[in-house]
């Protein structure tokens, strides 16, 4: 009997040691990872905000490659506004054994297809900037969202208007005590478009200011589309427009283009969101009254850190994973007073 126990121990102890070593493998193997493959697909590469986020991602990956001595393959592909194309791109990442897949969905309401594919391949998945519905995200334990709190950006944009309105009575061009505005909206189904439109106005009316909407329309985040909408509104409403609210800086810049071409005098104030380079320049020269800083670099950093952790440490097979599925980077108000600080911060 004793011999049997001894024999069992001789066989089982090494097996146990081997198994326990395997289960902690991803942690102890961290130092050995030589190549990390991160696949990124974006809804369209020519979107100003998304393009700047991609540039930051590339810079961050390069820096980490130099620091860590690991090879980091960051493959960023363009979905060209086609969900079918984007699905194929995800298939390619899967077939090439990418360590992490990051998706800026073309159609954020149709995330389930991608979640299912990536889950079946047991690859961690990070959505960013275009938020999937929570139900889709929860289908895979290793799916995340990196972005920001869209309602907050609307609120902050509205608060800039409230400050301006209270400080400067001449903004009420027709002196009727009401704020006449037009609204330029992003894509129809985009969480940022919906929530910014809603919460900017809520912040204004919540501060006791009466508003009158002259017009609103979708300009799909794009400068040229916003320019042509604004040109029509200037023809129709002229100096009745007191405030132009745009869901992003590119559309605010499109409205400013139209205003400059119109020689309308006096002009309404124009508000954007993002604090892109061109947006900040417009705030600095006074053509845009204010914007809201949508921190592309901090979002890129969060996407990269999560990807790197998965590729070198966390595991999708029952091991450690970060707590929480949502990373939201706070927005900040930008006006002429602090726009130089934001520019300096971006350059550093
Ligand atoms: C940005 C827009 C951008 C959109 C793309 C938003 O968060 O503010 O500028 O076009 O994301 O998804
Ligand atoms: Ca008025």
């Amino acid at each position: 009997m004793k011999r049997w126990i001894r024999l069992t121990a001789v066989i089982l102890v090494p097996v146990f040691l081997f198994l326990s070593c395997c289960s902690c493998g991803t942690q102890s193997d961290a130092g050995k990872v030589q190549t990390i493959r991160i696949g990124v697909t974006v809804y369209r590469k020519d979107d100003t905000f998304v393009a700047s986020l991609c540039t930051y991602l590339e810079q961050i990956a390069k820096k980490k490659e130099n620091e860590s001595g690991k090879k980091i393959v960051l493959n960023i592909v363009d979905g060209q506004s086609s969900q079918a194309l984007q699905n194929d791109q995800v298939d390619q990442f899967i077939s090439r054994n990418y360590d992490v897949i990051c998706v800026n969905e073309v159609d954020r309401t149709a995330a389930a297809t991608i979640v299912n594919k990536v889950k079946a391949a047991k690859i961690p998945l990070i959505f960013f900037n275009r938020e999937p519905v929570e139900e889709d995200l929860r289908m895979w334990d290793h799916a995340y969202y990196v972005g920001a709190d869209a309602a907050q950006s609307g609120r902050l944009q509205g608060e800039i208007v409230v400050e301006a309105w209270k400080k400067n009575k001449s903004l009420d061009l027709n002196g009727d005590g009401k704020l006449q505005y037009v609204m330029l909206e992003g894509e129809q189904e985009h969480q940022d478009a919906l929530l910014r439109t809603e919460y900017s106005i809520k912040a204004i009316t919540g501060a006791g200011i009466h508003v009158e909407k002259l017009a609103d329309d979708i300009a799909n985040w794009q400068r040229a589309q916003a320019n042509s909408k604004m040109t029509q509104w200037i023809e129709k409403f002229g100096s009745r427009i007191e405030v132009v609210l745009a869901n992003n800086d590119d559309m605010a810049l499109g409205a400013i283009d139209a205003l400059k071409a119109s020689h309308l005098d006096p002009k309404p104030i124009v508000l954007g969101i993002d604090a892109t380079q061109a947006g900040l320049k417009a705030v600095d020269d006074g053509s845009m009254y204010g914007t809201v800083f949508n921190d592309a670099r901090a979002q890129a950093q969060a996407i990269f850190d999560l990807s790197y952790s998965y590729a070198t440490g966390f595991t999708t097979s029952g091991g450690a994973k970060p707590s929480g599925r949502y990373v939201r980077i706070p927005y900040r108000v930008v006006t002429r007073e602090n726009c130089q600080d934001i520019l300096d911060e971006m350059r550093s």
Side-chain angles (χ1 to χ4, degrees), residues 165 171-180 240 242:
W165 189 260
L171 291 187
D172 183 7
L173 299 178
N174 63 354
D176 70 348
K178 263 193 208 164
L179 183 156
Q180 276 79 18
R240 286 185 62 209
E242 295 170 343

Side-chain angles (χ1 to χ4, degrees), residues 48 73 88 113 148 167 213 221 268 279 332 334 344:
T48 308
V73 177
D88 290 347
T113 313
K167 229 169 31 196
K213 179 168 76 184
W221 308 118
R332 278 184 280 164
V334 185
D344 292 345

